[in-house]
Amino acid sequence: MRENTRCVRAPAEGGYAAAVAALEGAAAPENVAGKAFASGDAALAAVLLTFLRGGTHVIAPAPGAGVIANVLGRFGVSADFVDTGNLSSVRQAVRGNTKIIYVETLSDTAVADLRGLYRLARETGAMLVVDSTLATPIVCRPLEHGADLVLHSTGTLLGDREGGVVVGRHDLMHRLTDDLGAPLSRADEPALLGALETLTLRIRRRCATAMEFVAAVAKHPAVVAVGYPGLPHHPGHHLARQLFDSGPEGTRFGSRVSITPRGDADDLVKSLRLIGNSTTAVRRGTAVLFTIGLEDVEDLVADVTRALDSQAG
């Protein structure tokens, strides 16, 4: 864990993908390259279609990426969807034909044990592919912990334009297929590059706000549970402290927060007024998932408190 204050500008060649690779690979054991796609799904599909064949097996996060659940089975690829934040669950799912272990650095419920997953991948001959969209390289860089490839969906935190990017060792990136016909639009590249220049400031602000937001909202009597790796009782808290960067604001635990209200989760989302701008909120089951943005924390807390009060009333 260390302070990350990188400010990235585009390398002379390679554009956006090379700039993301410079972030993710700054302290990686080998030089890395990147390739940009039109969406996060396109980036994932390119990885899977390049490195999987009929008769192979992939492990992926529950409830599973759509391209894995809906497409690969047609080509004879089998999959198990497990809690990839639980190393034991991943280990139990490994088969002799497992070729890819696909996990998320950070989710609303879990922090991936990247070092343990690296050891497991090497023991079994599988590739470790990590979706680090919710972490960004300002929080964690999985290549430093043994990942083979790292993916991002750009529209979530890296920038405000839809896209996807894959980074990894040159030998793997050289094999990555271009046959999907889904490259990143050149028209979107300047805006995405510009967003990288402010990435450190934006992510530091989001992480600090998320910590204050959780601490305040958790006290509301209409809240049953909150989920955030920055909370000491979160199952991934200790692991996050080992893997994630820190700065003047403390360890960066990301900006994804889950809140389980006593009332209906759908009603809570519909009652929010401010949220939906930089900060977003969606229902998943009985919980509401917040991705904390750049608004003042006082405004966010007031908005959620008002919505929770309306449910209680």
Side-chain angles (χ1 to χ4, degrees), residues 45-70:
V47 170
L48 298 175
L49 294 175
T50 297
F51 296 103
L52 294 175
R53 296 289 184 271
T56 59
H57 174 249
V58 58
I59 297 170
V67 67
I68 298 176
N70 301 326

Side-chain angles (χ1 to χ4, degrees), residues 48-235:
L48 298 175
L49 294 175
T50 297
F51 296 103
L52 294 175
R53 296 289 184 271
T56 59
H57 174 249
V58 58
I59 297 170
V67 67
I68 298 176
N70 301 326
V71 177
L72 292 182
R74 304 174 192 171
F75 302 97
V77 175
S78 58
D80 277 308
F81 301 106
V82 304
D83 175 7
T84 53
N86 185 319
L87 184 60
S88 296
S89 295
V90 178
R91 184 178 295 276
Q92 291 172 9
V94 171
R95 306 179 189 175
N97 61 340
T98 300
K99 296 302 179 186
I100 289 180
I101 299 174
Y102 171 56
V103 305
E104 296 171 319
T105 302
L106 174 65
S107 70
D108 54 296
T109 58
V111 174
D113 183 351
L114 295 175
R115 295 168 183 169
L117 288 163
Y118 162 74
R119 292 190 293 269
L120 177 61
R122 292 301 168 268
E123 291 170 10
T124 59
M127 289 179 60
L128 178 59
V129 177
V130 181
D131 184 327
S132 209
T133 296
L134 290 179
T136 80
I138 309 305
V139 172
C140 182
R141 292 162 304 284
L143 294 176
E144 296 177 12
H145 303 291
D148 294 296
L149 295 174
V150 176
L151 291 76
H152 290 276
S153 294
T154 63
T156 303
L157 295 174
L158 288 187
D160 60 358
R161 303 291 180 91
E162 183 178 5
V165 62
V166 182
V167 301
R169 298 196 319 266
H170 282 269
D171 61 319
L172 295 176
M173 295 302 301
H174 180 72
R175 295 172 57 190
L176 195 63
T177 182
D178 283 322
D179 296 338
L180 294 176
L184 179 69
S185 168
R186 291 185 179 181
D188 290 333
E189 190 156 345
L192 287 170
L193 274 168
L196 287 185
E197 295 186 1
T198 61
L199 182 64
T200 298
L201 292 174
R202 290 188 288 108
I203 297 304
R204 286 174 58 174
R205 169 69 179 269
R206 286 174 178 263
C207 292
T209 300
M211 182 67 83
E212 292 185 55
F213 175 82
V214 167
V217 174
K219 300 174 184 177
H220 197 285
V223 170
V224 175
V226 294
Y228 184 63
L231 297 173
H233 64 265
H234 188 281

